[in-house]
Amino acid sequence: MSRELCDLPAHELASLIRKGEVTAVEALDSTLERIEAVDGRPGSLENGQSFPEDTERVHAFITLTAERARFQAEEVDDKLKTGEIPGPLAGVPFTVKDIYTVKGTLSTAGSKILSNFVAPYTATSAARMEAAGGVMLGKVNLDEFTYGSSNESSAFKPVPRNPWDPSRVPGGSSGGSAAAVAAGEGALSLGTDTAGSIRQPAAFCGVVGVKPTYGRVSRYGLIAFGSSLDCPGPVARNVTDAAMMLNVIAGPDKRDITAVTLPVPDYTAGINEGVRGLRIGLSPDFFKISYFNSDTGEVEEQPLPDEIKAVTQRAADTLSDLGARIVEHVPMPHTRYGIPAYFVISRVEAASNLHRYDGVKYGYRTSDAVTNLKDLYRRSRAQGFGLQPKLRILMGMYVGAAQYSEQYYEHALRLRSKIRGDYDAVFDTDGEYKLDAILTPTTPSTAFPIGDVFGDSVLMQYADQLTVTANHAGTPGISLPAGLDGAGLPIGIQLLGPDFSEATIFRIGRAFEMATENDAWRSERPKVLEDII
Amino acid sequence: MSETITREIFDHMVELAALELDEAEAEYLRTELNKQLQAIEVLKAVKLDKDTPIASHGVPYTPEISAQPRKDIIDPFPNPEEIVALSPETEDGYLIVPDIPHEDVE
């Protein structure tokens, strides 16, 4: 099929709209047509039964807000007609992961317990995108409360599928975001990343995903999972778009004390300056996974698949050819403890955050007859939460309990210091390595088939092994497409940098993009797009 | 597989968590909890100095980048009725709940 307006990168589309060559309404119509062609039924609590055609569709959306979007698009066009500049995202259609509140829209977190929750206020990052001229298309699906790496745990069925192969997962938890961006259903999406939830689905769906430094983007209006780990961030089709989106959403916010006051640079300004002189590390600790085998009870070490290693090495060679200094054998020895420590820290925070859902203040309340308030809590939570929230509540309570806290929670928090220490050591400008960034594969596998991992909560968590340490450390990371595997599935590479070094990792990512823009794999398109010719 | 979380401990936690589970859910969740605990066991092998600090977050919040606590001035939500209206049952601006049981704390 030919490229439509909805396939254009955000910065190109915004530029065409600003110049008057295309209207925001035309861009919206093109995107709505694409959604109609590829998305299929939206996620719903009532959609339990599946139909054969469901298996060929993307199902990114829970709530499509087409009328609201049309109003916004017309507003952008009206502003342009009167000579007003509508902002850097002028007329760019975008989606929002349904873990953010947007006033007047259903904001479900993919959970039955919030299935009727119409938010009374808008998350700061979503509000900033709209204020910058972005056109919000609606809310996209995710793992329930973001708890998963495949989107299969959402209470809203059918769950999203991978546009490159709809028999496979899009990754998660920002799976609806990554699938939508890959399939032309909005050029940008607002995702969240607590252990890799932006970067992993971005890698699986062949798009760019950014986890900014913790504190770079306000968490106000983000329905909380792990409050010390959650990072709002961009999902986009290329590095420039991601940088442009971060320009819009980053910055201090009086409603979030953890949003830092550091000025926001223009991330697009030096993006084409290349990598000459930059020091980029390769760490053997990111080329293997230490995986706990519950059948044997042993921790097993496995190398990554050859195709993923080869794509990452090729990216290193490319960056070297461009003038970067590749530093090998960089030690990141605590990487292997990222997932076990995360099992403790994130669960304690999740359990704390989930206690607020009680069937009283908002959200789902049981319709069963109950005799007292305790029964109301119990019954509403039992019926409203799926298995993954229940698992996190119980795990968080256990490892955070007073008698186990020292053994588990405090120990994990001390290990978090050691994980952070790994990053501090290699980025230290007076240290041995003096790195500007670390290059790694984003994921230990490409997108796995639907149903293959779901249900095994330990195995599912290990999908985040190469991304989670940046969440512990708070440092930024980006995943960008770097090739396809033998089955035609996208492979992502990841760049990790020191605190607030987003401009540098964008620069490296953009250099890689430019150097590989004529590679054969870049002309391949997701299968769902080929199917609608 | 070891069963650190016995059925008794599990049932106690379910009670504290204000949850109810059917038998199949309980079995699945207890199995997964024990698997996760096993995965966590690997942490115990890491010997840490007593002076290794606790990190409650990764990024150091230096005064230069930290937001100041807001002033203690009331900034009311413009439309509190909207918030109250989110409750499944209300009356005259109050949230309605069933009987609140009396419990003696031991």
Side-chain angles (χ1 to χ4, degrees):
Chain A
M1 63 176 292
S2 60
R3 265 167 50 116
E4 310 283 344
L5 283 179
C6 64
D7 295 310
L8 290 181
H11 70 277
E12 285 181 30
L13 190 56
S15 168
L16 289 174
I17 291 170
R18 267 197 302 274
K19 283 189 270 182
E21 293 177 26
V22 166
T23 67
V25 168
E26 285 169 343
L28 172 64
D29 284 338
S30 167
T31 310
L32 291 174
E33 275 172 37
R34 173 61 59 77
I35 293 168
E36 175 71 25
V38 302
D39 207 56
R41 296 185 301 153
S44 156
L45 293 181
E46 316 303 328
N47 276 353
Q49 188 193 354
S50 61
F51 298 95
E53 61 266 29
D54 286 344
T55 61
E56 294 158 15
R57 297 288 183 265
V58 180
H59 306 293
F61 280 84
I62 291 178
T63 306
L64 181 66
T65 53
E67 286 314 304
R68 178 193 173 103
R70 188 165 299 283
F71 178 79
Q72 290 178 336
E74 286 170 352
E75 214 173 37
V76 168
D77 288 335
D78 287 347
K79 279 186 183 172
L80 281 164
K81 274 184 210 151
T82 59
E84 211 179 320
I85 304 292
L89 301 184
V92 174
F94 72 96
T95 57
V96 174
K97 183 180 183 179
D98 207 12
I99 197 75
Y100 290 95
T101 57
V102 174
K103 186 173 178 171
T105 71
L106 272 180
S107 300
T108 71
S111 180
K112 184 178 175 182
I113 209 157
L114 285 175
S115 54
N116 58 358
F117 177 63
V118 178
Y121 63 99
T122 299
T124 297
S125 41
R128 285 178 178 169
M129 290 190 72
E130 291 190 330
V135 171
M136 195 196 76
L137 296 162
K139 310 294 283 296
V140 286
N141 216 332
L142 67 160
D143 282 290
E144 184 175 1
F145 279 102
T146 79
Y147 302 158
S149 306
S150 72
N151 273 213
E152 290 158 285
S153 68
S154 175
F156 288 75
K157 317 282 187 202
V159 296
R161 289 169 176 265
N162 193 312
W164 289 83
D165 176 354
S167 72
R168 292 172 185 268
V169 303
S173 63
S174 307
S177 293
V181 170
E185 304 176 76
L188 302 170
S189 188
L190 187 57
T192 63
D193 190 312
T194 306
S197 277
I198 287 175
R199 291 163 287 160
Q200 185 255 21
F204 278 12
C205 293
V207 296
V208 171
V210 181
K211 173 215 154 329
T213 310
Y214 184 85
R216 183 69 290 185
V217 181
S218 164
R219 290 179 295 113
Y220 178 73
L222 162 59
I223 297 168
F225 165 12
S227 303
S228 78
L229 302 153
D230 294 339
C231 288
V235 180
R237 296 210 185 107
N238 61 42
V239 175
T240 306
D241 283 4
M244 185 171 78
M245 180 169 157
L246 189 61
N247 276 351
V248 169
I249 63 174
D253 179 12
K254 67 174 185 177
R255 295 192 169 95
D256 177 6
I257 188 96
T258 64
V260 298
T261 57
L262 199 68
V264 180
D266 178 355
Y267 293 113
T268 59
I271 201 163
N272 292 325
E273 284 179 10
V275 293
R276 186 159 299 283
L278 293 182
R279 293 173 63 84
I280 299 172
L282 290 173
S283 170
D285 297 302
F286 280 87
F287 283 83
K288 61 190 175 191
I289 56 166
S290 306
Y291 156 63
F292 177 77
N293 185 332
S294 57
D295 292 333
T296 61
E298 302 291 327
V299 177
E300 294 174 4
E301 211 161 79
Q302 290 178 359
L304 296 188
D306 288 340
E307 285 177 309
I308 291 179
K309 284 197 288 191
V311 159
T312 313
Q313 187 57 53
R314 205 168 61 221
D317 295 343
T318 302
L319 293 168
S320 174
D321 292 345
L322 294 171
R325 168 80 191 275
I326 302 298
V327 182
E328 294 190 87
H329 310 297
V330 173
M332 300 288 284
H334 296 90
T335 304
R336 66 194 306 252
Y337 303 117
I339 291 294
Y342 182 78
F343 264 129
V344 178
I345 296 166
S346 71
R347 270 51 173 180
V348 170
E349 296 185 10
S352 170
N353 281 319
L354 288 173
H355 285 316
R356 73 189 62 172
Y357 303 102
D358 57 6
V360 172
K361 304 183 292 292
Y362 47 79
Y364 173 81
R365 175 185 284 198
T366 183
S367 55
D368 294 356
V370 290
T371 53
N372 62 44
L373 184 60
K374 269 181 113 174
D375 285 344
L376 176 78
Y377 289 158
R378 234 182 270 294
R379 196 62 58 85
S380 299
R381 287 160 65 83
Q383 294 170 355
F385 284 135
L387 283 169
Q388 293 309 313
K390 287 172 182 164
L391 188 53
R392 276 157 178 80
I393 292 168
L394 294 169
M395 190 64 180
M397 287 177 63
Y398 184 82
V399 295
Q403 64 269 44
Y404 306 121
S405 181
E406 192 176 345
Q407 176 186 354
Y408 291 118
Y409 186 48
E410 286 182 28
H411 194 66
L413 290 177
R414 286 184 213 282
L415 262 168
R416 189 174 183 179
S417 285
K418 305 296 272 187
I419 291 168
R420 169 81 195 187
D422 283 355
Y423 283 94
D424 286 341
V426 302
F427 293 138
D428 183 354
T429 50
D430 296 321
E432 185 180 349
Y433 297 96
K434 301 181 181 59
L435 297 182
D436 295 288
I438 304 164
L439 169 66
T440 83
T442 308
T443 54
S445 74
T446 49
F448 42 83
I450 289 172
D452 255 24
V453 182
F454 187 55
D456 185 333
S457 65
V458 175
L459 189 57
M460 185 67 85
Q461 193 70 77
Y462 277 84
D464 294 330
Q465 179 151 97
L466 307 179
T467 47
V468 70
T469 55
N471 297 81
H472 286 302
T475 45
I478 185 172
S479 176
L480 57 154
L484 301 173
D485 73 1
L489 297 167
I491 295 173
I493 53 168
Q494 177 177 232
L495 292 159
L496 301 167
D499 294 342
F500 306 108
S501 66
E502 286 85 353
T504 304
I505 60 178
F506 283 138
R507 209 172 114 193
I508 300 169
R510 178 68 190 132
F512 175 75
E513 259 181 8
M514 288 193 285
T516 57
E517 65 184 353
N518 294 319
D519 282 10
W521 62 270
R522 286 212 184 261
S523 60
E524 298 293 325
R525 305 194 69 201
K527 183 172 178 299
V528 294
L529 300 187
E530 304 300 340
D531 289 348
I532 57 169
I533 295 172
Chain B
M1 192 177 72
S2 78
E3 289 215 346
T4 310
I5 300 182
T6 62
R7 185 66 198 234
E8 192 184 357
I9 295 173
F10 181 80
D11 288 345
H12 179 59
M13 289 200 302
V14 171
E15 169 77 15
L16 290 176
L19 289 171
E20 285 179 346
L21 304 172
D22 65 30
E23 198 45 45
E25 277 186 312
E27 204 41 50
Y28 169 78
L29 291 172
R30 199 165 69 86
T31 303
E32 291 300 306
L33 285 175
N34 278 312
K35 270 165 59 178
Q36 291 188 6
L37 267 189
Q38 271 194 303
I40 292 168
E41 289 300 304
V42 64
L43 298 180
K44 281 192 188 159
V46 190
K47 299 292 174 225
L48 296 174
D49 295 339
K50 280 208 171 95
D51 57 359
T52 304
I54 281 173
S56 54
H57 52 79
V59 177
Y61 273 79
T62 58
E64 292 74 33
I65 65 165
S66 299
Q68 295 304 304
R70 62 181 167 78
K71 292 198 171 68
D72 194 12
I73 297 170
I74 295 173
D75 181 11
F77 190 74
N79 188 0
E81 299 79 20
E82 267 183 58
I83 307 282
V84 175
L86 291 167
S87 175
E89 196 178 349
T90 63
E91 193 178 304
D92 297 334
Y94 289 92
L95 312 187
I96 304 299
V97 296
D99 183 47
I100 301 170
H102 175 84
E103 273 178 71
D104 289 323
V105 179
E106 288 168 18

